Amino acid sequence: MAGVLWVFYALTVTVSGGAPDDCPSVPQVMSAIKGRLPEASLSWQASPVAGGLQLVLRPRSGPPPALQVDLLDDAGQSLLRRVLPGASGGARGGRMSDCLALAETIALIVDRYVVQVDSPIVPRPPSSTAAQDGTARQPEPPPTPTPSSTTDAAVVVGAAWRSGGDALEGFEALAGIDLQRAARERGAGASLTVGIAPTAEGRWSTGQATLRRIPVRLGTYLSLKAGAGRLEPGLNLGVDALLVNVTESSGTRRTIRNVSPNVEAAFAYRLRGGIYFARGGMAVGLAVPYRLGGLGAQADSAVSTPRTYIRVGLETGIYFR
């Protein structure tokens, strides 16, 4: 089918070309356009119309069959092009429902262009009801956009203070990455951090020991809009790598390596400004404790890790995605 359909808001539509058994036929297309643009008048001729929109339909041979839809101005300049799936069976074998559906799709393309969705050139005319009662219809408000989700990744650095344990009460420094996917009101995220704590030292009559703790923590959290920032309740799973160096009074030295798994219930609040953010929070943790023993009467409590603890921290980050 090679049809030319002229649409313009002197309210005349000029159509030329097309055969009665095309799918969709020119009458079907004209009827569909009339249903969407009732103020347009329709005629069938080949000559251009000043100020009109020319609709050209060209079938593409398959498989699969397709229908190319071009919308031109009155000078023949292309305004938009769409390629639609053709009706099964081709121009002569298509089912009536398929042809009508294609006609409605073509009419929708013209309608969307006229109401400035595809290109802002021609305004939609006032409705017939507004014309009859002589009042101007107020423009319909634009639809409220659906908030889209965004994914942000950031590099994070921070510090925390951890309680509990004879030798581990103190500060830890950390660094890691944070990944968050959130819409305007809610979302979720995850973070992976690796830290290092100051060396803790224990002494007793038969020797001494130092302990270095390296925490590795994987956190997951919800992200909820709250005031100027976001509230982030979450759960952290971690493990503390423990490096213990023991020096006995006899001069014997040995190194002990151990791990202490832990789980934390966390609660944080994030403030963002541009590509930067700051997050403060608190976590309550439960861990598998470690105690260094067997080095004298006082040694069992000289170097240890806690079973329960509280961790308070502050982080800052830079988004790179």
Side-chain angles (χ1 to χ4, degrees):
M1 170 182 179
V4 179
L5 182 66
W6 290 92
V7 183
F8 63 99
Y9 268 98
L11 296 185
T12 301
V13 178
T14 305
V15 183
S16 66
D21 57 355
D22 282 339
C23 181
S25 66
V26 171
Q28 288 173 336
V29 175
M30 293 173 61
S31 176
I33 294 176
K34 188 67 175 179
R36 291 184 174 271
L37 302 172
E39 298 298 328
S41 61
L42 306 177
S43 63
W44 200 331
Q45 64 183 48
S47 59
V49 178
L53 299 177
Q54 184 181 10
L55 183 68
V56 181
L57 310 176
R58 295 187 179 94
R60 290 185 178 182
S61 59
L67 180 63
Q68 178 177 311
V69 179
D70 290 289
L71 194 61
L72 315 175
D73 61 15
D74 56 355
Q77 298 297 318
S78 177
L79 300 175
L80 66 85
R81 171 172 292 180
R82 301 288 186 268
V83 177
L84 307 176
S88 58
R92 301 180 182 276
R95 295 181 302 175
M96 178 63 70
S97 60
D98 296 335
C99 300
L100 293 176
L102 273 175
E104 285 294 333
T105 302
I106 295 167
L108 177 61
I109 293 172
V110 176
D111 178 62
R112 285 173 57 85
Y113 188 86
V114 167
V115 297
Q116 303 181 2
V117 172
D118 287 309
S119 180
I121 64 163
V122 185
R124 179 188 286 275
S127 65
S128 58
T129 303
Q132 290 173 5
D133 60 20
T135 60
R137 187 179 66 176
Q138 296 296 323
E140 297 180 0
T144 302
T146 302
S148 58
S149 297
T150 58
T151 301
D152 295 317
V155 177
V156 180
V157 294
W161 176 85
R162 171 171 160 166
S163 69
D166 298 331
L168 290 181
E169 189 167 7
F171 291 93
E172 63 183 52
L174 59 90
I177 58 173
D178 182 271
L179 185 66
Q180 183 183 93
R181 183 171 180 82
R184 180 176 176 82
E185 299 298 331
R186 62 183 63 87
S191 63
L192 177 64
T193 58
V194 178
I196 188 168
T199 300
E201 184 174 317
R203 295 177 179 271
W204 54 94
S205 59
T206 58
Q208 65 180 25
T210 61
L211 183 146
R212 172 78 73 178
R213 181 172 58 90
I214 301 176
V216 180
R217 190 173 299 114
L218 175 64
T220 58
Y221 58 86
L222 298 177
S223 178
L224 308 174
K225 178 66 176 177
R230 303 188 77 90
L231 194 62
E232 297 178 349
L235 181 69
N236 301 331
L237 299 178
V239 61
D240 288 341
L242 306 175
L243 306 178
V244 184
N245 294 312
V246 180
T247 302
E248 300 182 17
S249 57
S250 61
T252 303
R253 296 183 178 182
R254 56 194 175 101
T255 299
I256 303 172
R257 294 178 174 83
N258 209 327
V259 294
S260 174
N262 58 76
V263 60
E264 297 177 347
F267 187 84
Y269 189 78
R270 178 191 305 235
L271 288 173
R272 177 172 181 173
I275 64 171
Y276 306 99
F277 77 87
R279 176 171 57 193
M282 181 181 71
V284 178
L286 178 65
V288 176
Y290 168 78
R291 292 185 180 276
L292 177 63
L295 297 176
Q298 301 174 350
D300 289 343
S301 60
V303 178
S304 64
T305 64
R307 182 181 298 276
T308 60
Y309 60 88
I310 295 176
R311 185 172 56 85
V312 180
L314 179 63
E315 300 172 351
T316 184
I318 301 177
Y319 294 101
F320 61 86
R321 180 180 175 182

PDB file of all heavy atoms in Angstrom, residues 214-231:
ATOM      1  N   ILE A 214      41.453  -7.021  61.972  1.00  0.00           N
ATOM      2  CA  ILE A 214      41.128  -6.537  60.631  1.00  0.00           C
ATOM      3  C   ILE A 214      39.667  -6.931  60.340  1.00  0.00           C
ATOM      4  O   ILE A 214      39.378  -8.079  60.002  1.00  0.00           O
ATOM      5  CB  ILE A 214      42.070  -7.137  59.570  1.00  0.00           C
ATOM      6  CG1 ILE A 214      43.519  -6.779  59.890  1.00  0.00           C
ATOM      7  CG2 ILE A 214      41.692  -6.649  58.176  1.00  0.00           C
ATOM      8  CD1 ILE A 214      44.521  -7.402  58.959  1.00  0.00           C
ATOM      9  N   PRO A 215      38.724  -6.007  60.497  1.00  0.00           N
ATOM     10  CA  PRO A 215      37.315  -6.341  60.266  1.00  0.00           C
ATOM     11  C   PRO A 215      36.950  -6.275  58.776  1.00  0.00           C
ATOM     12  O   PRO A 215      37.327  -5.342  58.070  1.00  0.00           O
ATOM     13  CB  PRO A 215      36.572  -5.259  61.058  1.00  0.00           C
ATOM     14  CG  PRO A 215      37.498  -4.096  61.069  1.00  0.00           C
ATOM     15  CD  PRO A 215      38.892  -4.658  61.045  1.00  0.00           C
ATOM     16  N   VAL A 216      36.226  -7.272  58.318  1.00  0.00           N
ATOM     17  CA  VAL A 216      35.662  -7.307  56.966  1.00  0.00           C
ATOM     18  C   VAL A 216      34.150  -7.423  57.130  1.00  0.00           C
ATOM     19  O   VAL A 216      33.666  -8.335  57.817  1.00  0.00           O
ATOM     20  CB  VAL A 216      36.216  -8.487  56.148  1.00  0.00           C
ATOM     21  CG1 VAL A 216      35.607  -8.491  54.752  1.00  0.00           C
ATOM     22  CG2 VAL A 216      37.735  -8.422  56.072  1.00  0.00           C
ATOM     23  N   ARG A 217      33.407  -6.508  56.502  1.00  0.00           N
ATOM     24  CA  ARG A 217      31.976  -6.432  56.793  1.00  0.00           C
ATOM     25  C   ARG A 217      31.175  -6.249  55.502  1.00  0.00           C
ATOM     26  O   ARG A 217      31.494  -5.392  54.677  1.00  0.00           O
ATOM     27  CB  ARG A 217      31.718  -5.258  57.749  1.00  0.00           C
ATOM     28  CG  ARG A 217      30.335  -5.179  58.322  1.00  0.00           C
ATOM     29  CD  ARG A 217      30.278  -4.080  59.374  1.00  0.00           C
ATOM     30  NE  ARG A 217      31.192  -4.347  60.492  1.00  0.00           N
ATOM     31  CZ  ARG A 217      32.257  -3.600  60.754  1.00  0.00           C
ATOM     32  NH1 ARG A 217      32.562  -2.562  60.022  1.00  0.00           N
ATOM     33  NH2 ARG A 217      33.036  -3.910  61.788  1.00  0.00           N
ATOM     34  N   LEU A 218      30.142  -7.083  55.335  1.00  0.00           N
ATOM     35  CA  LEU A 218      29.183  -6.967  54.232  1.00  0.00           C
ATOM     36  C   LEU A 218      27.851  -6.538  54.821  1.00  0.00           C
ATOM     37  O   LEU A 218      27.281  -7.241  55.651  1.00  0.00           O
ATOM     38  CB  LEU A 218      29.034  -8.300  53.486  1.00  0.00           C
ATOM     39  CG  LEU A 218      27.963  -8.338  52.392  1.00  0.00           C
ATOM     40  CD1 LEU A 218      28.299  -7.360  51.265  1.00  0.00           C
ATOM     41  CD2 LEU A 218      27.806  -9.754  51.833  1.00  0.00           C
ATOM     42  N   GLY A 219      27.359  -5.378  54.381  1.00  0.00           N
ATOM     43  CA  GLY A 219      26.117  -4.852  54.926  1.00  0.00           C
ATOM     44  C   GLY A 219      25.037  -4.713  53.877  1.00  0.00           C
ATOM     45  O   GLY A 219      25.304  -4.396  52.711  1.00  0.00           O
ATOM     46  N   THR A 220      23.805  -4.958  54.263  1.00  0.00           N
ATOM     47  CA  THR A 220      22.636  -4.710  53.418  1.00  0.00           C
ATOM     48  C   THR A 220      21.680  -3.823  54.196  1.00  0.00           C
ATOM     49  O   THR A 220      21.577  -3.931  55.420  1.00  0.00           O
ATOM     50  CB  THR A 220      21.930  -6.014  53.028  1.00  0.00           C
ATOM     51  OG1 THR A 220      21.523  -6.719  54.217  1.00  0.00           O
ATOM     52  CG2 THR A 220      22.858  -6.914  52.214  1.00  0.00           C
ATOM     53  N   TYR A 221      20.965  -2.950  53.481  1.00  0.00           N
ATOM     54  CA  TYR A 221      20.105  -1.997  54.176  1.00  0.00           C
ATOM     55  C   TYR A 221      18.972  -1.530  53.282  1.00  0.00           C
ATOM     56  O   TYR A 221      19.039  -1.633  52.050  1.00  0.00           O
ATOM     57  CB  TYR A 221      20.925  -0.788  54.644  1.00  0.00           C
ATOM     58  CG  TYR A 221      21.630  -0.052  53.529  1.00  0.00           C
ATOM     59  CD1 TYR A 221      20.988   0.958  52.800  1.00  0.00           C
ATOM     60  CD2 TYR A 221      22.950  -0.351  53.198  1.00  0.00           C
ATOM     61  CE1 TYR A 221      21.637   1.626  51.782  1.00  0.00           C
ATOM     62  CE2 TYR A 221      23.599   0.315  52.182  1.00  0.00           C
ATOM     63  CZ  TYR A 221      22.941   1.307  51.473  1.00  0.00           C
ATOM     64  OH  TYR A 221      23.582   1.964  50.458  1.00  0.00           O
ATOM     65  N   LEU A 222      17.929  -1.040  53.923  1.00  0.00           N
ATOM     66  CA  LEU A 222      16.858  -0.341  53.240  1.00  0.00           C
ATOM     67  C   LEU A 222      17.207   1.141  53.187  1.00  0.00           C
ATOM     68  O   LEU A 222      17.924   1.649  54.052  1.00  0.00           O
ATOM     69  CB  LEU A 222      15.524  -0.542  53.956  1.00  0.00           C
ATOM     70  CG  LEU A 222      15.000  -1.972  54.048  1.00  0.00           C
ATOM     71  CD1 LEU A 222      13.709  -2.006  54.858  1.00  0.00           C
ATOM     72  CD2 LEU A 222      14.769  -2.549  52.659  1.00  0.00           C
ATOM     73  N   SER A 223      16.680   1.843  52.180  1.00  0.00           N
ATOM     74  CA  SER A 223      16.919   3.278  52.045  1.00  0.00           C
ATOM     75  C   SER A 223      15.566   3.974  51.974  1.00  0.00           C
ATOM     76  O   SER A 223      14.835   3.815  50.987  1.00  0.00           O
ATOM     77  CB  SER A 223      17.750   3.560  50.790  1.00  0.00           C
ATOM     78  OG  SER A 223      17.958   4.953  50.625  1.00  0.00           O
ATOM     79  N   LEU A 224      15.227   4.723  53.028  1.00  0.00           N
ATOM     80  CA  LEU A 224      13.904   5.339  53.145  1.00  0.00           C
ATOM     81  C   LEU A 224      14.046   6.852  53.247  1.00  0.00           C
ATOM     82  O   LEU A 224      14.862   7.357  54.025  1.00  0.00           O
ATOM     83  CB  LEU A 224      13.180   4.797  54.388  1.00  0.00           C
ATOM     84  CG  LEU A 224      13.113   3.277  54.524  1.00  0.00           C
ATOM     85  CD1 LEU A 224      12.507   2.886  55.861  1.00  0.00           C
ATOM     86  CD2 LEU A 224      12.335   2.665  53.375  1.00  0.00           C
ATOM     87  N   LYS A 225      13.268   7.576  52.440  1.00  0.00           N
ATOM     88  CA  LYS A 225      13.286   9.025  52.488  1.00  0.00           C
ATOM     89  C   LYS A 225      12.853   9.502  53.866  1.00  0.00           C
ATOM     90  O   LYS A 225      11.811   9.108  54.386  1.00  0.00           O
ATOM     91  CB  LYS A 225      12.344   9.585  51.422  1.00  0.00           C
ATOM     92  CG  LYS A 225      12.223  11.097  51.403  1.00  0.00           C
ATOM     93  CD  LYS A 225      13.519  11.747  50.996  1.00  0.00           C
ATOM     94  CE  LYS A 225      13.361  13.257  50.883  1.00  0.00           C
ATOM     95  NZ  LYS A 225      14.640  13.920  50.562  1.00  0.00           N
ATOM     96  N   ALA A 226      13.663  10.383  54.491  1.00  0.00           N
ATOM     97  CA  ALA A 226      13.363  10.887  55.830  1.00  0.00           C
ATOM     98  C   ALA A 226      13.939  12.290  55.951  1.00  0.00           C
ATOM     99  O   ALA A 226      15.151  12.448  56.147  1.00  0.00           O
ATOM    100  CB  ALA A 226      13.928   9.970  56.908  1.00  0.00           C
ATOM    101  N   GLY A 227      13.088  13.289  55.816  1.00  0.00           N
ATOM    102  CA  GLY A 227      13.542  14.663  55.936  1.00  0.00           C
ATOM    103  C   GLY A 227      14.503  15.023  54.824  1.00  0.00           C
ATOM    104  O   GLY A 227      14.275  14.752  53.646  1.00  0.00           O
ATOM    105  N   ALA A 228      15.632  15.622  55.202  1.00  0.00           N
ATOM    106  CA  ALA A 228      16.617  16.046  54.211  1.00  0.00           C
ATOM    107  C   ALA A 228      17.493  14.904  53.718  1.00  0.00           C
ATOM    108  O   ALA A 228      18.230  15.070  52.743  1.00  0.00           O
ATOM    109  CB  ALA A 228      17.510  17.143  54.809  1.00  0.00           C
ATOM    110  N   GLY A 229      17.448  13.759  54.368  1.00  0.00           N
ATOM    111  CA  GLY A 229      18.305  12.646  53.986  1.00  0.00           C
ATOM    112  C   GLY A 229      17.541  11.341  53.865  1.00  0.00           C
ATOM    113  O   GLY A 229      16.345  11.329  53.584  1.00  0.00           O
ATOM    114  N   ARG A 230      18.246  10.250  54.090  1.00  0.00           N
ATOM    115  CA  ARG A 230      17.658   8.927  53.966  1.00  0.00           C
ATOM    116  C   ARG A 230      18.008   8.097  55.202  1.00  0.00           C
ATOM    117  O   ARG A 230      19.156   8.093  55.670  1.00  0.00           O
ATOM    118  CB  ARG A 230      18.139   8.219  52.698  1.00  0.00           C
ATOM    119  CG  ARG A 230      17.867   8.998  51.429  1.00  0.00           C
ATOM    120  CD  ARG A 230      18.165   8.195  50.198  1.00  0.00           C
ATOM    121  NE  ARG A 230      17.122   7.222  49.931  1.00  0.00           N
ATOM    122  CZ  ARG A 230      16.052   7.461  49.183  1.00  0.00           C
ATOM    123  NH1 ARG A 230      15.862   8.647  48.652  1.00  0.00           N
ATOM    124  NH2 ARG A 230      15.161   6.519  48.960  1.00  0.00           N
ATOM    125  N   LEU A 231      16.996   7.399  55.701  1.00  0.00           N
ATOM    126  CA  LEU A 231      17.146   6.511  56.848  1.00  0.00           C
ATOM    127  C   LEU A 231      17.501   5.122  56.340  1.00  0.00           C
ATOM    128  O   LEU A 231      16.865   4.617  55.408  1.00  0.00           O
ATOM    129  CB  LEU A 231      15.842   6.481  57.637  1.00  0.00           C
ATOM    130  CG  LEU A 231      15.870   5.884  59.041  1.00  0.00           C
ATOM    131  CD1 LEU A 231      16.790   6.681  59.942  1.00  0.00           C
ATOM    132  CD2 LEU A 231      14.447   5.855  59.594  1.00  0.00           C
TER     133      LEU A 231
END
